[in-house]
Amino acid sequence: MADTLTISAPADFHVHLRQGTFAELVTKHVREGGFGLAYVMPNLVPPITTTEEALLYKAQLQAIDPVVEYMMTLYLSPELTPQEIRNAKAAGVYGVKSYPRGVTTNSEGGIENYEAYYPVFEAMQEVDMVLNLHGEVPSSSTPGSNTCVLNAEPQFLPHLRKLHAAFPRLRIVLEHATTRAAVECVKALGDTVACSITAHHLALTVDDWAGQSWHFCKPVAKYPDDREALREVIREGHPRFFLGSDSAPHPPGKKSTAAPSSPCAAGVYTSPILLPLTAHLLESFGALDKLEGFVSTHGRAFYKKPAREGEQIVLRRTKSKIQEVWAQGADSVVPFWAGKELNWEILRG
Ligand SMILES: O=C1C[C@@H](C(=O)O)NC(=O)N1
């Protein structure tokens, strides 16, 4: 068994870096967790809907950690026009994130009807920008409806198929897949459709978040067979499946609350431990040899972001305990698996 692992240029293709002092705390954790590239989500308050806002946000992140490469995205909303897509592309913005209305953190301004956005998708296809889909339909309280968090992802898949059929050259990523149905759907579609998978969904099932609010995220972890499908596609080394951590920090008081009127915030925080955690998990299900593909080459190939010359990280096999909390000023955040032991750590130079 090898005691060190050298991984070329790990890239996190889905991460929440927040804003203000909270961003100052969590943005540094991208590098702490072994990553030099962050594909940044736009669900701020208010969301990032214009090129100008995306560039301003990028500058704020660069001021916190200038070493990490930030790939910026816009939040799909009625304000977004085909002309703004062309501006965004020219300014180096990479993608557009679509949140169905009300499904997760800061998605109140999310979309209800994909066809209304076809002119935007057409422009994205033309200039080669990526469409990032939060793949869930909203839960429904309509009498007779059976839609809830457990089947929200499979019920979204017809939208994915329809979008790909309408825009076959548009690069689409189904984000943070959690079901066998999603894995099979993405595999069956063409080379322009890919899928991100989080580290925590490789560990969790329903039993781990029902009654354990720190493990609650959207989409929620599903059945053991769904988790097995995520593991299988990584073991297979499928090139259109790669890591997007969906690392989503929230203040501890929003994750764990006794007040019945304040619901638990959705999000699992993995940034500061991401590479050792991913190595630990892949090894646990016999896929350690697929680590570099999963955390680096597959996503980089899909996003056309080759690794920079010589950029690599070395992991060392050693037991290391996950820090219980990270804090700075008045802000703090608790990572996934706080206090648990991992089998790998980053060898720092
Ligand atoms: O899609 C998302 C958003 C994220 C957040 O907190 O921003 N948290 C989640 O659990 N899922």
Side-chain angles (χ1 to χ4, degrees):
M1 255 195 306
D3 285 334
T4 61
L5 276 175
T6 302
I7 303 293
S8 152
D12 183 355
F13 282 106
H14 183 137
V15 59
H16 297 270
L17 297 179
R18 308 306 193 208
Q19 56 209 121
T21 56
F22 209 41
E24 284 169 28
L25 169 63
V26 302
T27 301
K28 293 178 194 143
H29 293 166
V30 172
R31 209 136 57 85
E32 171 93 21
F35 286 73
L37 183 154
Y39 192 82
V40 183
M41 290 299 113
N43 62 333
L44 305 188
V45 186
I48 301 287
T49 56
T50 65
T51 305
E52 201 184 333
E53 288 162 2
L55 295 182
L56 186 65
Y57 185 34
K58 183 176 184 178
Q60 288 162 357
L61 298 173
Q62 283 170 329
I64 300 169
D65 186 344
V67 176
V68 169
E69 184 175 1
Y70 304 98
M71 291 171 70
M72 307 309 290
T73 59
L74 299 179
Y75 190 105
L76 186 61
S77 73
E79 289 160 50
L80 200 53
T81 60
Q83 183 53 45
E84 188 59 13
I85 290 295
R86 285 186 274 276
N87 298 344
K89 176 71 182 187
V93 173
Y94 276 87
V96 174
K97 176 72 187 287
S98 149
Y99 289 94
R101 182 162 297 182
V103 295
T104 189
T105 308
N106 303 334
S107 63
E108 295 74 17
I111 71 163
E112 292 178 294
N113 165 5
Y114 292 90
E115 274 157 33
Y117 293 94
Y118 275 19
V120 168
F121 299 153
E122 186 69 54
M124 288 174 64
Q125 176 169 260
E126 197 183 296
V127 301
D128 195 23
M129 271 176 86
V130 175
L131 176 62
N132 303 99
L133 296 174
H134 184 117
E136 291 188 289
V137 296
S139 292
S140 168
S141 52
T142 309
S145 158
N146 191 33
T147 305
C148 69
V149 293
L150 286 176
N151 56 20
E153 186 175 276
Q155 290 197 17
F156 176 84
L157 298 174
H159 292 297
L160 172 61
R161 289 195 195 92
K162 197 169 161 193
L163 283 170
H164 178 54
F167 302 99
R169 288 179 297 107
L170 175 63
R171 281 182 293 150
I172 301 178
V173 181
L174 177 67
E175 299 292 340
H176 41 51
T178 56
T179 55
R180 183 172 289 281
V183 170
E184 283 172 1
C185 176
V186 170
K187 274 180 152 181
L189 296 175
D191 281 350
T192 51
V193 181
C195 185
S196 68
I197 295 177
T198 75
H200 53 278
H201 286 127
L202 296 171
L204 304 174
T205 67
V206 175
D207 287 356
D208 298 297
W209 59 261
Q212 217 292 32
S213 62
W214 295 93
H215 293 160
F216 174 64
C217 62
K218 293 299 300 296
V220 297
K222 306 293 192 310
Y223 294 90
D225 181 63
D226 291 305
R227 181 180 61 184
E228 187 50 32
L230 304 177
R231 292 174 172 183
E232 272 167 17
V233 79
I234 293 172
R235 264 196 304 264
E236 179 188 329
H238 195 296
R240 285 188 284 117
F241 290 77
F242 47 77
L243 179 72
S245 70
D246 194 17
S247 176
H250 290 277
K254 294 206 165 169
K255 286 299 296 173
S256 166
T257 165
S261 57
S262 41
C264 165
V268 167
Y269 189 52
T270 51
S271 274
I273 53 162
L274 190 55
L275 192 58
L277 172 70
T278 308
H280 178 102
L281 287 166
L282 264 56
E283 186 168 40
S284 75
F285 58 86
L288 192 58
D289 61 325
K290 301 301 188 314
L291 183 64
E292 186 170 78
F294 182 60
V295 303
S296 181
T297 19
H298 297 170
R300 284 182 176 278
F302 187 82
Y303 277 98
K304 306 178 184 173
K305 287 297 287 181
R308 292 180 215 157
E309 191 64 31
E311 193 186 342
Q312 57 186 35
I313 295 277
V314 180
L315 287 167
R316 173 172 60 186
R317 182 187 295 284
T318 185
K319 301 263 182 224
S320 65
K321 201 169 155 198
I322 298 174
Q323 199 169 311
E324 300 273 355
V325 64
W326 268 270
Q328 182 172 295
D331 295 301
S332 64
V333 68
V334 173
F336 181 57
W337 275 4
K340 271 188 80 155
E341 218 170 54
L342 294 177
N343 291 338
W344 292 91
E345 74 172 17
I346 294 171
L347 192 62
R348 301 194 193 262

